[in-house]
Amino acid sequence: LAKTTQPISMDSYEGQEVNITCSHNNIATNDYITWYQQFPSQGPRFIIQGYKTKVTNEVASLFIPADRKSSTLSLPRVSLSDTAVYYCLVGVSILTGGGNKLTFGTGTQLKVEL
Amino acid sequence: DTAVSQTPKYLVTQMGNDKSIKCEQNLGHDTMYWYKQDSKKFLKIMFSYNNKELIINETVPNRFSPKSPDKAHLNLHINSLELGDSAVYFCASSQRDRGRGYEKLFFGSGTQLSVL
């Protein structure tokens, strides 16, 4: 199971772009990279997922270099409401066998201020 | 409509008691999970059921017993509660994306369990 390492916390101001990098040096060939967002008193919410290169949706972008040993979640023009914990996960579907299970680490606490 | 709902939201009880947490999803998903989040925000999988069958059972004390009466429900019963069981318990569901081979997890809002 690929282990992930991400910063414990980050601070930003409204309107700035925030990039959170996650290291996953032992990522396996079949592993996908997924990011979740968690607000206080709520369950995590899926943000974005990718396998390689760049993925973009209405919320964020995910940059994955060719070696896939890291990934960067990019949040454009953050607002106060983006204050949350962001989790990086690496793994494959448990339903495809192999015993991989999506386990969350401690995440990155992003604090956005005025 | 809440996609994944779990009850109760808060549960305060004494050591040694038995308690249950209920979870229901109306997304039509085949797979449901229980996760435990401790005070340091570390979120760890406990169990997973796929179509009412247990497919993941992590190293959880056997005081914890999940039950899935149908694929829309996954309940968690805890016997002889201990102080260390205090945490937030999240239910989740997922449906495998057949085109890509991964699933997106949908979480409930959590049950804050406090054992006194």
Side-chain angles (χ1 to χ4, degrees), chain A residues 36-77:
Chain A
Y36 283 80
Q37 174 191 56
Q38 185 179 23
F39 297 114
S41 302
Q42 294 186 28
R45 183 178 71 123
F46 175 92
I47 300 176
I48 198 166
Q49 183 173 89
Y51 183 79
K52 61 182 179 181
T53 63
K54 177 184 174 183
V55 180
T56 298
N57 62 22
E58 64 278 4
V59 177
S61 294
L62 178 59
F63 298 91
I64 306 170
D67 65 7
R68 304 199 328 123
K69 293 185 183 298
S70 67
S71 59
T72 299
L73 174 72
S74 181
L75 305 172
R77 298 181 59 80

Short mmCIF file of all heavy atoms in Angstrom, two decimals, chain A residues 36-77:
data_model
loop_
_atom_site.label_atom_id
_atom_site.label_comp_id
_atom_site.label_asym_id
_atom_site.label_seq_id
_atom_site.Cartn_x
_atom_site.Cartn_y
_atom_site.Cartn_z
N TYR A 36 -9.35 14.25 -1.38
CA TYR A 36 -10.61 14.52 -0.71
C TYR A 36 -10.47 15.76 0.15
O TYR A 36 -9.38 16.12 0.59
CB TYR A 36 -11.02 13.34 0.19
CG TYR A 36 -11.58 12.15 -0.54
CD1 TYR A 36 -10.75 11.23 -1.17
CD2 TYR A 36 -12.95 11.95 -0.61
CE1 TYR A 36 -11.27 10.14 -1.86
CE2 TYR A 36 -13.48 10.85 -1.29
CZ TYR A 36 -12.63 9.96 -1.90
OH TYR A 36 -13.15 8.88 -2.58
N GLN A 37 -11.61 16.39 0.40
CA GLN A 37 -11.68 17.61 1.21
C GLN A 37 -12.62 17.32 2.38
O GLN A 37 -13.67 16.71 2.19
CB GLN A 37 -12.24 18.74 0.35
CG GLN A 37 -12.53 20.04 1.07
CD GLN A 37 -13.34 20.97 0.16
OE1 GLN A 37 -14.41 20.61 -0.31
NE2 GLN A 37 -12.82 22.16 -0.08
N GLN A 38 -12.21 17.75 3.57
CA GLN A 38 -13.08 17.54 4.72
C GLN A 38 -13.24 18.83 5.52
O GLN A 38 -12.26 19.40 6.00
CB GLN A 38 -12.54 16.44 5.64
CG GLN A 38 -13.48 16.10 6.79
CD GLN A 38 -12.98 15.00 7.71
OE1 GLN A 38 -11.78 14.75 7.78
NE2 GLN A 38 -13.89 14.34 8.39
N PHE A 39 -14.50 19.23 5.68
CA PHE A 39 -14.83 20.37 6.52
C PHE A 39 -15.11 19.86 7.93
O PHE A 39 -15.48 18.69 8.12
CB PHE A 39 -16.05 21.12 5.99
CG PHE A 39 -15.83 21.73 4.64
CD1 PHE A 39 -16.53 21.27 3.54
CD2 PHE A 39 -14.93 22.77 4.46
CE1 PHE A 39 -16.34 21.82 2.28
CE2 PHE A 39 -14.74 23.33 3.21
CZ PHE A 39 -15.44 22.85 2.11
N PRO A 40 -15.00 20.73 8.94
CA PRO A 40 -15.30 20.31 10.31
C PRO A 40 -16.71 19.74 10.42
O PRO A 40 -17.64 20.24 9.80
CB PRO A 40 -15.15 21.61 11.11
CG PRO A 40 -14.21 22.44 10.32
CD PRO A 40 -14.50 22.12 8.89
N SER A 41 -16.84 18.68 11.16
CA SER A 41 -18.12 18.03 11.43
C SER A 41 -18.78 17.46 10.18
O SER A 41 -20.01 17.28 10.14
CB SER A 41 -19.10 18.99 12.12
OG SER A 41 -18.55 19.48 13.32
N GLN A 42 -17.99 17.21 9.15
CA GLN A 42 -18.52 16.58 7.95
C GLN A 42 -17.61 15.44 7.51
O GLN A 42 -16.45 15.37 7.91
CB GLN A 42 -18.64 17.59 6.81
CG GLN A 42 -19.67 18.69 7.04
CD GLN A 42 -19.82 19.56 5.82
OE1 GLN A 42 -19.61 19.12 4.69
NE2 GLN A 42 -20.21 20.81 6.02
N GLY A 43 -18.14 14.58 6.69
CA GLY A 43 -17.32 13.53 6.12
C GLY A 43 -16.52 14.06 4.94
O GLY A 43 -16.84 15.09 4.36
N PRO A 44 -15.42 13.37 4.59
CA PRO A 44 -14.63 13.79 3.44
C PRO A 44 -15.46 13.81 2.16
O PRO A 44 -16.41 13.04 2.01
CB PRO A 44 -13.54 12.72 3.36
CG PRO A 44 -13.45 12.17 4.73
CD PRO A 44 -14.85 12.20 5.27
N ARG A 45 -15.08 14.70 1.26
CA ARG A 45 -15.78 14.84 -0.01
C ARG A 45 -14.77 14.73 -1.14
O ARG A 45 -13.72 15.36 -1.11
CB ARG A 45 -16.49 16.19 -0.07
CG ARG A 45 -17.32 16.46 -1.30
CD ARG A 45 -18.00 17.80 -1.18
NE ARG A 45 -17.04 18.90 -1.30
CZ ARG A 45 -17.10 19.87 -2.20
NH1 ARG A 45 -18.06 19.87 -3.09
NH2 ARG A 45 -16.21 20.84 -2.22
N PHE A 46 -15.09 13.92 -2.12
CA PHE A 46 -14.20 13.73 -3.28
C PHE A 46 -13.99 15.05 -4.00
O PHE A 46 -14.92 15.81 -4.25
CB PHE A 46 -14.86 12.72 -4.22
CG PHE A 46 -14.13 12.52 -5.53
CD1 PHE A 46 -13.18 11.52 -5.66
CD2 PHE A 46 -14.41 13.31 -6.63
CE1 PHE A 46 -12.53 11.30 -6.86
CE2 PHE A 46 -13.76 13.11 -7.84
CZ PHE A 46 -12.81 12.10 -7.95
N ILE A 47 -12.72 15.33 -4.33
CA ILE A 47 -12.41 16.53 -5.11
C ILE A 47 -12.00 16.17 -6.52
O ILE A 47 -12.58 16.64 -7.50
CB ILE A 47 -11.24 17.33 -4.49
CG1 ILE A 47 -11.53 17.79 -3.07
CG2 ILE A 47 -10.92 18.55 -5.35
CD1 ILE A 47 -10.35 18.49 -2.44
N ILE A 48 -10.98 15.33 -6.64
CA ILE A 48 -10.42 15.06 -7.96
C ILE A 48 -9.61 13.78 -7.93
O ILE A 48 -9.13 13.37 -6.86
CB ILE A 48 -9.54 16.26 -8.41
CG1 ILE A 48 -9.28 16.24 -9.92
CG2 ILE A 48 -8.23 16.30 -7.62
CD1 ILE A 48 -8.71 17.57 -10.44
N GLN A 49 -9.49 13.16 -9.06
CA GLN A 49 -8.70 11.93 -9.17
C GLN A 49 -7.97 11.89 -10.50
O GLN A 49 -8.48 12.39 -11.51
CB GLN A 49 -9.59 10.71 -9.06
CG GLN A 49 -8.85 9.38 -9.09
CD GLN A 49 -9.76 8.20 -8.80
OE1 GLN A 49 -10.36 7.63 -9.69
NE2 GLN A 49 -9.87 7.84 -7.53
N GLY A 50 -6.77 11.32 -10.49
CA GLY A 50 -6.02 11.22 -11.73
C GLY A 50 -5.05 10.06 -11.71
O GLY A 50 -4.79 9.45 -10.66
N TYR A 51 -4.53 9.77 -12.88
CA TYR A 51 -3.53 8.70 -13.00
C TYR A 51 -2.18 9.27 -13.44
O TYR A 51 -1.14 8.91 -12.89
CB TYR A 51 -4.00 7.65 -14.00
CG TYR A 51 -3.06 6.48 -14.12
CD1 TYR A 51 -3.06 5.47 -13.15
CD2 TYR A 51 -2.16 6.39 -15.18
CE1 TYR A 51 -2.18 4.41 -13.25
CE2 TYR A 51 -1.28 5.32 -15.27
CZ TYR A 51 -1.29 4.34 -14.31
OH TYR A 51 -0.41 3.28 -14.40
N LYS A 52 -2.21 10.14 -14.44
CA LYS A 52 -0.99 10.78 -14.88
C LYS A 52 -1.30 12.14 -15.53
O LYS A 52 -2.46 12.46 -15.76
CB LYS A 52 -0.23 9.90 -15.87
CG LYS A 52 -1.01 9.58 -17.13
CD LYS A 52 -0.20 8.67 -18.04
CE LYS A 52 -0.99 8.34 -19.29
NZ LYS A 52 -0.23 7.43 -20.20
N THR A 53 -0.30 12.90 -15.76
CA THR A 53 -0.35 14.25 -16.35
C THR A 53 -1.24 15.18 -15.55
O THR A 53 -1.06 15.35 -14.36
CB THR A 53 -0.76 14.19 -17.84
OG1 THR A 53 -2.08 13.67 -17.96
CG2 THR A 53 0.20 13.32 -18.61
N LYS A 54 -2.20 15.79 -16.21
CA LYS A 54 -3.00 16.82 -15.55
C LYS A 54 -4.48 16.52 -15.69
O LYS A 54 -4.96 16.11 -16.74
CB LYS A 54 -2.69 18.19 -16.17
CG LYS A 54 -3.51 19.33 -15.61
CD LYS A 54 -3.21 20.63 -16.33
CE LYS A 54 -4.14 21.75 -15.87
NZ LYS A 54 -3.90 23.01 -16.62
N VAL A 55 -5.17 16.73 -14.60
CA VAL A 55 -6.63 16.59 -14.60
C VAL A 55 -7.21 17.89 -14.03
O VAL A 55 -6.69 18.43 -13.06
CB VAL A 55 -7.07 15.41 -13.73
CG1 VAL A 55 -8.58 15.28 -13.73
CG2 VAL A 55 -6.41 14.12 -14.20
N THR A 56 -8.26 18.36 -14.64
CA THR A 56 -8.90 19.60 -14.17
C THR A 56 -10.40 19.40 -14.13
O THR A 56 -10.99 18.81 -15.03
CB THR A 56 -8.56 20.78 -15.09
OG1 THR A 56 -7.15 21.01 -15.07
CG2 THR A 56 -9.26 22.05 -14.62
N ASN A 57 -11.01 19.90 -13.06
CA ASN A 57 -12.47 19.93 -13.00
C ASN A 57 -12.89 21.31 -12.49
O ASN A 57 -12.06 22.23 -12.42
CB ASN A 57 -13.03 18.78 -12.15
CG ASN A 57 -12.57 18.83 -10.70
OD1 ASN A 57 -12.17 19.87 -10.19
ND2 ASN A 57 -12.63 17.67 -10.05
N GLU A 58 -14.13 21.46 -12.16
CA GLU A 58 -14.65 22.78 -11.79
C GLU A 58 -14.13 23.25 -10.43
O GLU A 58 -14.28 24.41 -10.07
CB GLU A 58 -16.18 22.75 -11.77
CG GLU A 58 -16.79 21.84 -10.73
CD GLU A 58 -16.85 20.38 -11.15
OE1 GLU A 58 -16.34 20.04 -12.25
OE2 GLU A 58 -17.39 19.56 -10.38
N VAL A 59 -13.53 22.37 -9.68
CA VAL A 59 -13.07 22.70 -8.34
C VAL A 59 -11.57 22.88 -8.27
O VAL A 59 -11.08 23.80 -7.60
CB VAL A 59 -13.49 21.59 -7.34
CG1 VAL A 59 -12.96 21.90 -5.96
CG2 VAL A 59 -15.00 21.44 -7.31
N ALA A 60 -10.82 22.00 -8.93
CA ALA A 60 -9.37 22.00 -8.75
C ALA A 60 -8.68 21.40 -9.96
O ALA A 60 -9.31 20.91 -10.89
CB ALA A 60 -9.01 21.19 -7.50
N SER A 61 -7.35 21.47 -9.90
CA SER A 61 -6.51 20.79 -10.89
C SER A 61 -5.56 19.86 -10.15
O SER A 61 -5.17 20.14 -9.01
CB SER A 61 -5.71 21.78 -11.72
OG SER A 61 -6.55 22.57 -12.52
N LEU A 62 -5.21 18.79 -10.82
CA LEU A 62 -4.29 17.82 -10.24
C LEU A 62 -3.15 17.63 -11.22
O LEU A 62 -3.39 17.26 -12.38
CB LEU A 62 -5.01 16.50 -9.97
CG LEU A 62 -4.18 15.35 -9.41
CD1 LEU A 62 -3.55 15.74 -8.08
CD2 LEU A 62 -5.04 14.10 -9.23
N PHE A 63 -1.94 17.90 -10.76
CA PHE A 63 -0.76 17.76 -11.59
C PHE A 63 0.03 16.55 -11.14
O PHE A 63 0.37 16.42 -9.95
CB PHE A 63 0.11 19.02 -11.50
CG PHE A 63 -0.58 20.26 -11.99
CD1 PHE A 63 -1.29 21.07 -11.11
CD2 PHE A 63 -0.53 20.61 -13.33
CE1 PHE A 63 -1.94 22.20 -11.57
CE2 PHE A 63 -1.16 21.75 -13.78
CZ PHE A 63 -1.87 22.55 -12.91
N ILE A 64 0.33 15.68 -12.08
CA ILE A 64 1.07 14.46 -11.77
C ILE A 64 2.26 14.37 -12.73
O ILE A 64 2.06 14.28 -13.95
CB ILE A 64 0.17 13.22 -11.94
CG1 ILE A 64 -1.11 13.38 -11.10
CG2 ILE A 64 0.92 11.95 -11.53
CD1 ILE A 64 -2.17 12.33 -11.39
N PRO A 65 3.48 14.39 -12.21
CA PRO A 65 4.65 14.30 -13.10
C PRO A 65 4.77 12.91 -13.69
O PRO A 65 4.09 11.97 -13.27
CB PRO A 65 5.82 14.61 -12.15
CG PRO A 65 5.32 14.21 -10.80
CD PRO A 65 3.85 14.50 -10.80
N ALA A 66 5.66 12.80 -14.64
CA ALA A 66 5.81 11.54 -15.39
C ALA A 66 6.17 10.36 -14.47
O ALA A 66 5.70 9.25 -14.69
CB ALA A 66 6.87 11.69 -16.47
N ASP A 67 6.97 10.59 -13.44
CA ASP A 67 7.36 9.46 -12.59
C ASP A 67 6.29 9.10 -11.57
O ASP A 67 6.39 8.09 -10.88
CB ASP A 67 8.69 9.74 -11.88
CG ASP A 67 8.62 10.90 -10.90
OD1 ASP A 67 7.51 11.42 -10.67
OD2 ASP A 67 9.67 11.29 -10.38
N ARG A 68 5.27 9.93 -11.44
CA ARG A 68 4.12 9.71 -10.57
C ARG A 68 4.48 9.56 -9.10
O ARG A 68 3.68 9.09 -8.29
CB ARG A 68 3.32 8.50 -11.02
CG ARG A 68 2.85 8.57 -12.45
CD ARG A 68 1.71 7.66 -12.84
NE ARG A 68 1.64 6.41 -12.16
CZ ARG A 68 0.59 6.00 -11.46
NH1 ARG A 68 -0.48 6.77 -11.33
NH2 ARG A 68 0.60 4.81 -10.89
N LYS A 69 5.65 9.98 -8.71
CA LYS A 69 6.06 9.83 -7.32
C LYS A 69 5.55 10.95 -6.43
O LYS A 69 5.78 10.98 -5.21
CB LYS A 69 7.58 9.73 -7.22
CG LYS A 69 8.14 8.44 -7.85
CD LYS A 69 9.61 8.34 -7.63
CE LYS A 69 10.18 7.10 -8.31
NZ LYS A 69 9.60 5.86 -7.77
N SER A 70 4.88 11.90 -7.03
CA SER A 70 4.26 12.98 -6.27
C SER A 70 3.07 13.50 -7.07
O SER A 70 2.91 13.16 -8.26
CB SER A 70 5.26 14.12 -6.02
OG SER A 70 5.60 14.74 -7.24
N SER A 71 2.27 14.31 -6.43
CA SER A 71 1.17 14.95 -7.13
C SER A 71 0.89 16.27 -6.43
O SER A 71 1.21 16.44 -5.24
CB SER A 71 -0.08 14.07 -7.15
OG SER A 71 -0.50 13.77 -5.82
N THR A 72 0.33 17.21 -7.17
CA THR A 72 0.03 18.52 -6.59
C THR A 72 -1.42 18.88 -6.86
O THR A 72 -1.86 18.90 -8.02
CB THR A 72 0.94 19.60 -7.18
OG1 THR A 72 2.30 19.27 -6.88
CG2 THR A 72 0.61 20.96 -6.60
N LEU A 73 -2.12 19.15 -5.79
CA LEU A 73 -3.49 19.64 -5.89
C LEU A 73 -3.43 21.15 -5.96
O LEU A 73 -2.82 21.79 -5.10
CB LEU A 73 -4.30 19.21 -4.66
CG LEU A 73 -5.72 19.77 -4.56
CD1 LEU A 73 -6.61 19.10 -5.60
CD2 LEU A 73 -6.29 19.58 -3.16
N SER A 74 -4.04 21.73 -6.96
CA SER A 74 -4.03 23.18 -7.13
C SER A 74 -5.44 23.72 -7.00
O SER A 74 -6.35 23.31 -7.73
CB SER A 74 -3.44 23.54 -8.50
OG SER A 74 -3.39 24.93 -8.67
N LEU A 75 -5.60 24.64 -6.07
CA LEU A 75 -6.89 25.29 -5.85
C LEU A 75 -6.77 26.74 -6.31
O LEU A 75 -6.04 27.52 -5.72
CB LEU A 75 -7.27 25.24 -4.36
CG LEU A 75 -7.30 23.87 -3.71
CD1 LEU A 75 -7.50 23.99 -2.21
CD2 LEU A 75 -8.42 23.02 -4.32
N PRO A 76 -7.48 27.11 -7.36
CA PRO A 76 -7.34 28.47 -7.89
C PRO A 76 -8.15 29.46 -7.06
O PRO A 76 -9.30 29.18 -6.70
CB PRO A 76 -7.92 28.35 -9.30
CG PRO A 76 -8.90 27.25 -9.20
CD PRO A 76 -8.37 26.28 -8.17
N ARG A 77 -7.57 30.59 -6.75
CA ARG A 77 -8.29 31.68 -6.10
C ARG A 77 -9.13 31.19 -4.91
O ARG A 77 -10.36 31.18 -4.95
CB ARG A 77 -9.16 32.41 -7.10
CG ARG A 77 -8.38 33.06 -8.23
CD ARG A 77 -9.33 33.81 -9.18
NE ARG A 77 -10.09 34.84 -8.48
CZ ARG A 77 -9.63 36.04 -8.17
NH1 ARG A 77 -8.37 36.36 -8.48
NH2 ARG A 77 -10.39 36.92 -7.56
#
